[in-house]
Amino acid sequence: MAAAMLLLASPSGAHASASAPDTPGGDQEQTEFYFGGVITFDGEPVADVVISVDGGGFEAETVTDADGKWRLYVPEKDEYVLVVDEDTLPDGVIVDPAQLPEGIQPKSGTTASFDVGFGATGTKIVNLFLGEGERVTVSFWDQFTERLINGINFGLLLALAAVGVSLIFGTTGLTNFAHAEMLTFGAVIALLLAGFQIPMWIVIPLVILAGAAFGWVLDAGLWKPLRRKGLGLVQLMIVSIGLSLAIRYTYQFFIGGGTYQLPGAGASRDIRLGPIAVSWIDLVSMGISIVLLLAVAYWLLRTRIGKATRAISDNPGLAAASGINVDRVIRIVWVLSAALAAVAGVLWAYFRPGVKWDMGVQVLLLIFAAVTLGGLGTAFGALIGSLIVGILVELSTLLGIPPDMKYVGALAVLIIILLVRPQGLLGRKERLG
């Protein structure tokens, strides 16, 4: 059996770019953390082998140089997935699973995709040998099915945040840019509670309560006084942008610029449902999202406060004239929206994975896209828009869109749909202008 050796080293790092460098690392943004090594075949270096790394919301790739050397810088000491592109290896050669180091196994359905991480010293050496064998490939439809499920999961957690944005817009007309910080707030609270060894099944209800309290404080301390002063929507939107920046950098001051993992984050996808591989975190996340969204739907359709919320969204003046306490309903909407956003932040920390000071703003544009796509001020439209955005984001890379541009496809579809139906999928024309 022919054999080739792949040598991996790793201290810790930051942003990496994709190129074949003259020296390992090339024009990448260099940091102290990196994966690197050399690939040889029958004692000879192998050039132009594509190697990629993915983890913690970070993706990058590079190729081996003439000496078979390569290096990939990463932003921090974390768990990553390392992939050797087998199409760039010699014909008939794969990474031999029988010769893998202890603790290293191919990910399900592959022969050249591995979970890798840093040791206590920040440096790790892993020797992988190539040998003759049949490459394991995943069919297009199997990949499509698995990414569709990932897209639904992503869309559901987006919906938790998007429904809140839609309810706030519907009742107040405010486009709340600080909603991103409500997501981050939930993840930060979960991180703090997890530090006290509190089980996550208890942390989630506590996060909901903390998020609700945060929403109450924001409305009572800021938004209600501003509404009473008669500020216009443009001024209120500018205030929300300033509030977003202030809260975001407050997070950075207290937790720093690193990424922190919640308990169980990065769980392996060892649950197989036909061609679909999921982790228990994925199933729990989808379950929580569905239960909360059904509860919100029941609240909107069956309760007096929910019906009052819809009445205010349709016509605030008429709702007030009919005896509805508009300020009280708006307060409840803020509490509910902040609670949903807080839970979405925890689920986003698991999906991404990681808790970071600016994690909320990374999906804010997608949340706004989902709300606009579904129809401004329409909670059920926000749900549909979120599912569409989530699925498009996950399927985009399957269609050849580079990972760094996977959000572009969803935004492009948003533009196209709005050109055809400006009010969104479930919106009404009279609500515009």
Side-chain angles (χ1 to χ4, degrees):
M1 178 182 294
M5 180 182 70
L6 169 60
L7 179 63
L8 280 177
S10 61
S12 126
H15 194 82
S17 61
S19 67
D22 294 331
T23 58
D27 60 357
Q28 301 172 25
E29 180 182 340
Q30 299 186 9
T31 63
E32 58 178 319
F33 293 93
Y34 65 86
F35 293 101
V38 59
I39 298 180
T40 62
F41 183 69
D42 284 341
E44 298 294 329
V46 181
D48 300 326
V49 176
V50 176
I51 303 171
S52 61
V53 68
D54 181 5
F58 176 84
E59 298 173 339
E61 71 175 28
T62 189
V63 298
T64 56
D65 62 14
D67 296 323
K69 297 179 181 179
W70 62 274
R71 183 174 296 177
L72 277 171
Y73 291 93
V74 293
E76 58 197 330
K77 188 175 180 179
D78 202 349
E79 296 294 324
Y80 295 90
V81 176
L82 185 74
V83 179
V84 179
D85 186 349
E86 292 184 315
D87 291 336
T88 60
L89 295 177
D91 292 338
V93 173
I94 64 170
V95 178
D96 186 358
Q99 301 189 61
L100 291 172
E102 184 178 356
I104 301 292
Q105 293 295 329
K107 295 179 72 66
S108 178
T110 73
T111 52
S113 177
F114 312 93
D115 291 316
V116 293
F118 297 96
T121 63
T123 302
K124 181 171 182 174
I125 302 295
V126 179
N127 293 324
L128 301 179
F129 295 87
L130 302 182
E132 296 175 356
E134 183 178 353
R135 297 173 183 177
V136 176
T137 58
V138 181
S139 70
F140 174 85
W141 289 110
D142 285 351
Q143 294 182 60
F144 177 87
T145 304
E146 185 166 350
R147 297 195 186 192
L148 177 63
I149 296 301
N150 289 339
I152 293 174
N153 186 16
F154 186 34
L156 287 172
L157 74 87
L158 280 180
L160 291 177
V163 166
V165 169
S166 184
L167 289 174
I168 291 173
F169 180 86
T171 53
T172 67
L174 171 65
T175 303
N176 181 28
F177 281 83
H179 207 80
E181 277 45 69
M182 295 182 182
L183 267 78
T184 308
F185 178 81
V188 170
I189 293 298
L191 181 66
L192 294 176
L193 294 175
F196 292 101
Q197 306 300 318
I198 300 177
M200 289 306 297
W201 64 271
I202 297 178
V203 167
I204 294 295
L206 293 178
V207 166
I208 293 176
L209 292 176
F214 189 40
W216 187 91
V217 169
L218 286 177
D219 186 59
L222 179 64
W223 299 116
K224 184 176 180 179
L226 291 179
R227 288 196 302 270
R228 287 186 170 179
K229 290 182 179 296
L231 264 68
L233 294 179
V234 174
Q235 292 95 322
L236 290 175
M237 183 182 68
I238 293 173
V239 170
S240 77
I241 295 173
L243 178 64
S244 173
L245 293 171
I247 297 176
R248 191 184 316 160
Y249 285 100
T250 300
Y251 294 148
Q252 186 188 35
F253 178 80
F254 284 104
I255 69 173
T259 301
Y260 308 92
Q261 301 299 332
L262 294 175
S268 60
R269 297 186 169 186
D270 50 5
I271 301 175
R272 298 213 51 96
L273 305 171
I276 305 170
V278 296
S279 68
W280 67 271
I281 291 289
D282 296 327
L283 297 178
V284 171
S285 175
M286 286 189 283
I288 291 174
S289 299
I290 291 172
V291 168
L292 291 178
L293 290 171
L294 288 176
V296 171
Y298 179 85
W299 177 78
L300 283 172
L301 296 175
R302 298 296 183 183
T303 67
R304 291 181 61 189
I305 298 297
K307 293 176 181 178
T309 300
R310 290 190 290 131
I312 294 172
S313 296
D314 286 337
N315 192 321
L318 182 59
S322 63
I324 295 175
N325 188 333
V326 175
D327 274 341
R328 178 171 175 265
V329 172
I330 291 176
R331 177 69 53 79
I332 293 173
V333 165
W334 271 99
V335 169
L336 175 63
S337 299
L340 292 174
V343 176
V346 177
L347 301 184
W348 174 232
Y350 276 111
F351 188 86
R352 186 175 172 260
V355 178
K356 197 173 181 181
W357 66 282
D358 62 346
M359 58 180 290
V361 76
Q362 296 174 5
V363 290
L364 181 63
L365 188 58
L366 293 180
I367 293 171
F368 283 161
V371 172
T372 308
L373 179 60
L376 293 173
T378 307
F380 295 105
L383 170 60
I384 294 175
S386 297
L387 289 173
I388 293 174
V389 169
I391 291 171
L392 286 176
V393 166
E394 289 299 309
L395 292 180
S396 61
T397 54
L398 189 61
L399 303 177
I401 298 176
D404 290 343
M405 298 181 62
K406 65 182 181 180
Y407 295 154
V408 174
L411 300 178
V413 171
L414 167 67
I415 294 172
I416 293 172
I417 290 181
L418 291 183
L419 287 173
V420 177
R421 187 177 173 83
Q423 68 271 29
L425 297 176
L426 299 186
R428 298 188 301 180
K429 291 183 179 180
E430 58 264 32
R431 285 183 175 167
L432 300 178

